[in-house]
Amino acid sequence: MSDVKIQIYGIRTVEDARMVIGMGAHHIGVSYGKIRRTPGQLTCEQAREIFEGVQPEAVRIGLTVSEDMEEITENLKAAFPDVLHLSGNIEGISPSEVQEIKNRFPGLKIMQAIPVLAGVPIQEQKVLQYVRDYESVSDYFLIDTKAPEAGDIGATGMTHDKKIDKAIIDSTDVPCIIAGGLDEHNVTEAIHITNPYGVDSFSRTNYEGRAADMERCKDPDKVKAFIEAVRNA
């Protein structure tokens, strides 16, 4: 029985939040903010309703891709998660600015996304430097695939070399959650290779096609299969 934490992202309704926690997920991820920056992003009011309506044992993650400190502050005042997930351009918010966010909101934890490029050797990437730079201000790292042309990190549905995840996990004491195209078919192997603190699923636990754009976008069958695969890893 695996004790790996399970994080389900892209939650847009209280009903989906309660469903995935009821099935055994530990973390729910919600993208929100006053300024619309990503597809499927919620308003602060919608996010607060989810944070207040989900089961109390859930760890509530709020995602932003903003690099504007005041915008992030206003969003946190309007809807306060347990963990703020910084998933914009990692170089857009310095470690000292991340510390400033923590100073403004005592008790808030930080999940810093670490961008991994698919098909690029680790020696040609800055991932281990990012880990060193941000580990003093991060409570979690979310290791995710970054599309080469994208400014933000993740939500690609693309996998990357899990040996890079393992190198990151072995290099730091910060709990690492792995992400990037994980589903019930590949998550078990990913866990065995990397031995992570947690695993994350967004795109591959959504409904197919246009249904993925609905408010209730999480497919219960896919969520159940993903959670069972993690538990049996």
Side-chain angles (χ1 to χ4, degrees), residues 27 51 62 126 170 206 217-218 232:
H27 296 189
F51 294 156
K126 294 171 71 175
D170 288 349
N206 284 346
C217 60
K218 306 313 291 188
N232 294 327

Side-chain angles (χ1 to χ4, degrees), residues 3 5 9 11 18-19 47 58 78 123 146 153 157 185 187 192-194 202 210 213 215 219:
D3 60 357
K5 299 297 184 190
Y9 237 103
I11 300 297
R18 295 191 67 82
M19 175 187 75
Q123 299 86 344
K146 181 181 183 295
I153 303 162
H185 304 296
V187 72
H192 290 165
I193 292 170
T194 64
F202 167 50
R210 290 176 63 185
D213 296 327
E215 278 207 326
D219 183 329

